[in-house]
Amino acid sequence: MTPAPEFSRPCRVAEIGSGGRRHDIAATPDERDALAARFGLLALDELAASLDVRREAAGIRVAGSVTARGSQPCVATADPVPFLIAESLTLLFTESLPDGSEIELSDADFDVEPLVGDSLDLGEIAAQAFGLALDPYPRAATPAPGVISEAEAR
């Protein structure tokens, strides 16, 4: 059984029209604490998203932006490394994916995801976009004790 998302904002597919609708969502303090634990952060002070959701012939398009502020541990020292994220996203949810194991997309294209069930979880979409935008190897400005730079090693 899959655990419930920490930041859940369901949007029923049946209620999505072609005109679209803007969803402005923000994580509560408890949701931010749970997401900080999920992503191994020291703090998640803010997580918000502004998403436009609309039905198209190809499926349901979700486009907008995710913003976040907080800190994560330095990979060398575990000191706090602040982050400020402003990430745009565009996804197309479709009931049928193209046949074949590979889909070739250009840089201008967007991600295509399967539409599963009768709702989209906009909170989880925002959380995943946020997680992908985090620096996987954050480094503090101060050097780790005993570690020298490449220039110093010469």
Side-chain angles (χ1 to χ4, degrees), residues 35-49:
L35 286 166
R38 172 178 168 183
F39 293 114
L41 305 175
L42 298 175
L44 181 55
D45 302 318
E46 175 187 335
L47 175 63

Side-chain angles (χ1 to χ4, degrees), residues 52-104:
D52 292 316
V53 181
R54 68 182 168 148
R55 187 176 298 279
E56 299 180 350
I60 297 172
R61 182 183 306 260
V62 177
S65 62
V66 175
T67 57
R69 181 176 50 85
S71 62
Q72 58 191 133
C74 172
V75 295
T77 64
D79 290 342
V81 178
F83 63 79
L84 182 59
I85 290 175
E87 186 73 13
S88 62
L89 66 92
T90 302
L91 299 168
L92 178 66
F93 291 87
T94 181
E95 291 181 9
S96 60
L97 293 175
D99 289 336
S101 60
E102 294 185 25
I103 301 172
E104 193 165 327

